[in-house]
Amino acid sequence: MRKIITSSERRGISGIIFSSAWPAFLSIVCAIIVFIVPSYQTGLTNWVCIRPINWLRLIAAMYLTSFAPGYCILRISKGEYLGCLSTFLISYLLSLFFTSSLGFALLVSHLSIWKYSPLLLVSINLALAVLATLRFEKSQNCVKTISRCISFNLCDILVFLIAAGTVAGAIIINTSNSLFLFGVQNFYLNQAIAHSKDFPVGLQGNHAANYDYWFFIYVASFIRLSGFPIVNAYLSLLVFVGMPTLAFYEMTRRLTRSNIFGLIATIMMSFQGFGWIYALYLK
C-alpha cells in the first residue's frame, strides 16, 4: 500500500538532505570559484579597485582553508554534538592545522606551495566533504540540531559584539596606513612569502629562520589560494582576530556552566587583563 507523505514530513526530509549535503555542495561551489576566477596577485592594491569577483574568490579561499576541512573532519568522526559555537571554533582550529600540514608536506617534499597547494587543497577538501556527507547520520535529530545552532541568548550576542569590535579595531589600525605594512605585520608577511617557495628558509642576516613556521605556511597557502593581491589577502585575515575572544568565552562558560560568568570573565579579559581569574574564583 502506497504511503502518503505529508507536507511536514517533506520539510523534515528536505532538512535532512540539506544538513547532510551542504558541505559537499559548498565545497564544490568554492572549488569552481577558485579555479574559474583569475588570479589578481599584485602587491598592495586599493581595496575599492579590486573586482567583486576576486572578493568572491577570497571568501571561497577562506572557507576552504579556515573552516571546511575542520568541520568535515568533525562530521566524519561522528562525535557527540558540541554546540554551535564550539563546533565553529574547533572547525577553525582543525582547519588551520590541516592547511598547515598540507603545506608542510609539500615543502618537505621539495614542492612549492605557490605552485601545488591550490590543487592539493581543493582536491582533499572535496574528498573530505564527500566523506562527511556519506558518514552523516541521517535522522530527524539533525533538524533539531539546526534549530539549536541558530538560537542565541543575550550573553552570546554581547560576546559576538565584543569580538566584532576587536575585528573592527584591528582592521582600522592595520589599514589606516594604506601604503605599507609596519613592524611585525611586515615581518609575518615576508616570512609567509619566503615559506611559500622553499623549506627550510635560509639564514636571514645573522639570524636563523624563525621557528614558528607553521603559521607562515598557513598564511602562504591561503594567499595563494585566494588569488587576491598579496598584502590585501594577508590583511583580510584580520577578520579572525576575534576568535580568541569567542574561544575564551566558550571555555569559561563551560567551566563555570554559566553564560553570565562566561560573559563577565570575557569582558574582564578584554579590558582588565587577568581580572577574569577573580571572576572564576567568585564562581
Side-chain angles (χ1 to χ4, degrees), residues 251-267:
M251 179 192 73
T252 52
R253 79 169 178 176
R254 285 182 177 270
L255 284 175
T256 61
R257 298 182 180 179
S258 170
N259 291 337
I260 295 178
F261 272 92
L263 174 62
I264 293 173
T266 303
I267 293 174

Side-chain angles (χ1 to χ4, degrees), residues 111-146:
L111 299 174
S112 170
I113 287 178
W114 210 254
K115 185 175 182 180
Y116 296 101
S117 66
L119 181 60
L120 183 64
L121 275 170
V122 169
S123 301
I124 297 184
N125 264 290
L126 291 176
L128 286 174
V130 171
L131 288 175
T133 301
L134 296 177
R135 290 275 292 174
F136 187 71
E137 184 178 358
K138 300 176 178 62
S139 66
Q140 295 288 345
N141 293 330
C142 67
V143 180
K144 297 179 181 179
T145 299
I146 295 174

Side-chain angles (χ1 to χ4, degrees), residues 11 22 32 52 76 87 94-95 99 116 131 134 145 164 184 186 189-190 211 223 230 251 268 283:
R11 287 194 296 269
W22 75 262
I32 293 174
I76 292 171
T87 300
L94 282 175
S95 297
T99 303
Y116 296 101
L131 288 175
L134 296 177
T145 299
V184 69
N186 187 48
L189 179 58
N190 289 335
Y211 69 91
I223 290 176
I230 294 175
M251 179 192 73
M268 288 185 171
K283 176 61 179 179

